[in-house]
Amino acid sequence: MNYIERIKEIEKVEGLSREDLAMKCGIKYTRLRNVVGGQAEVRASDLAMIAETFPIYEVWLFTGKEYPQEGQISPMTKKALDAENTDT
């Protein structure tokens, strides 16, 4: 999964439109739209702004790895944990 796919996964699991994600993270909407659309390269600063807003996804966003024991998970893991907690 590449950076763009990770950004899209955050949008999906968090229930945010691209515009909402941009606003929440302090990224210009046109910048985020261009990055996700492939018209602009992803910058470390773009990822840092998203990670600052969603700190539990920071490691996953940058590396694709998860360290649940340190509270570093992916949106997919969060979704599974939320579903697990809803079932009990």
Side-chain angles (χ1 to χ4, degrees), residues 27-45:
I27 302 171
K28 289 184 179 180
Y29 168 68
T30 53
R31 168 81 190 140
L32 187 59
R33 183 191 65 207
N34 289 340
V35 166
V36 175
Q39 288 82 33
E41 292 291 320
V42 179
R43 296 182 193 146
S45 60

Side-chain angles (χ1 to χ4, degrees), residues 37-53:
Q39 288 82 33
E41 292 291 320
V42 179
R43 296 182 193 146
S45 60
D46 300 323
L47 298 176
M49 292 171 87
I50 296 169
E52 187 175 312
T53 305

Side-chain angles (χ1 to χ4, degrees), residues 14-28:
E14 293 297 327
L16 298 169
S17 68
R18 185 139 313 130
E19 191 169 3
D20 290 339
L21 180 65
M23 190 180 324
K24 191 172 183 102
C25 296
I27 302 171
K28 289 184 179 180

Side-chain angles (χ1 to χ4, degrees), residues 57-70:
Y57 303 145
E58 182 175 8
V59 171
W60 174 81
L61 184 60
F62 279 95
T63 68
K65 297 179 180 178
E66 296 184 68
Y67 299 99
Q69 63 278 16
E70 271 98 49

